[in-house]
Amino acid sequence: SIDDLKVHSCPAINFAPAPINPYFICHFEMRCDFETDRCGFSATSDKPGQPSNWVVRDSYEILYPTLGPSVDHTWKDADGQHLAVDFTSQLPSFNAETKSITFYSHADLCIEFYMFANSETFSESSNSRFSITAAGCFADFVYSSYPFRNETNNQQAPNWQRIVVTNSNIACVHLYFYFYFYQRESTKMSVSIDDVRIDRCYRINSASNTT
């Protein structure tokens, strides 16, 4: 016999999901402007004893001020915080990685963030790459770009660029995301992200823009 059966909708697709599932210790959504903390993004690499090479900074602390960003994306202010690649420990084949908190992933999950990228020189064949990788109960690249390739031969002034990543092929518990930057050229660079948001896709307008 069975008795008192109740079927509840999954919080990940319910109209008003809880931000965290207490049973799996994983999140359904996240918003982070880096003004007060890292929002769970790791400060260390997966390699023992190695820093992630991503640090929270304002625009006065950028290693190469002429490359920017001169302001953060959230407040458009030089005092505003953002998550930046720390190039002070730069070596040949320099890598930077940071790991997000754990998510309950589902087919309607999207990632939105703003990225600033600038370089002393641009190249049509640059191999310096920014990427996002899913890991945990599923492993795959979910986003990749070469921000320092000058494919148009008419490089515009850098600005905060809005990027939206659709996560439609991943549905599992205990998923997290790595944000990577791989430097492959010996030139001065600046890379930052701000206003990271992980939520259901219909809440995130997928129309691209630059602000």
Side-chain angles (χ1 to χ4, degrees):
S1 298
I2 60 173
D3 198 3
D4 294 332
L5 177 66
K6 292 182 179 180
V7 179
H8 295 276
S9 59
C10 173
I13 59 174
N14 197 8
F15 180 75
I20 186 170
N21 184 322
Y23 300 102
F24 297 114
I25 315 299
C26 54
H27 296 73
F28 294 120
E29 59 188 62
M30 182 193 74
R31 294 189 182 192
C32 187
D33 58 17
F34 303 104
E35 296 302 324
T36 57
D37 57 39
R38 296 176 69 105
C39 306
F41 280 99
S42 65
T44 57
S45 167
D46 270 357
K47 298 178 181 178
Q50 297 295 317
S52 75
N53 291 324
W54 285 90
V55 295
V56 175
R57 286 184 169 163
D58 62 35
S59 295
Y60 296 112
E61 300 172 299
I62 293 298
L63 182 61
Y64 306 117
T66 57
L67 296 182
S70 59
V71 297
D72 75 326
H73 178 264
T74 309
W75 300 107
K76 310 296 189 293
D77 191 287
D79 290 314
Q81 304 288 308
H82 43 87
L83 192 62
V85 174
D86 181 9
F87 289 101
T88 57
S89 58
Q90 177 179 342
L91 297 170
S93 298
F94 173 79
N95 295 338
E97 67 175 59
T98 184
K99 177 183 174 182
S100 76
I101 55 178
T102 305
F103 288 91
Y104 186 113
S105 181
H106 52 90
D108 192 39
L109 188 70
C110 282
I111 303 171
E112 176 192 53
F113 63 98
Y114 289 81
M115 183 171 72
F116 181 97
N118 195 15
S119 176
E120 190 174 41
T121 58
F122 284 80
S123 169
E124 295 181 12
S125 58
S126 172
N127 289 316
S128 294
R129 184 174 68 172
F130 173 86
S131 65
I132 302 175
T133 301
C137 55
F138 183 90
D140 198 6
F141 279 100
V142 297
Y143 177 80
S144 183
S145 68
Y146 296 88
F148 301 126
R149 285 189 180 179
N150 185 1
E151 297 177 353
T152 64
N153 292 318
N154 185 24
Q155 188 67 38
Q156 297 180 350
N159 210 331
W160 287 102
Q161 179 184 6
R162 181 175 183 256
I163 298 172
V164 177
V165 181
T166 302
N167 190 43
S168 59
N169 295 324
I170 305 173
C172 62
V173 182
H174 289 284
L175 183 76
Y176 46 87
F177 299 99
Y178 281 102
F179 285 65
Y180 288 102
F181 178 71
Y182 310 90
Q183 179 173 347
R184 296 296 180 263
E185 283 81 40
S186 298
T187 184
K188 295 178 181 179
M189 294 182 175
S190 178
V191 179
S192 296
I193 61 173
D194 201 3
D195 294 327
V196 179
R197 182 181 179 189
I198 300 178
D199 206 336
R200 287 176 293 169
C201 296
Y202 83 86
R203 292 184 173 185
I204 296 176
N205 179 6
S206 60
S208 63
N209 59 46
T210 302
T211 58

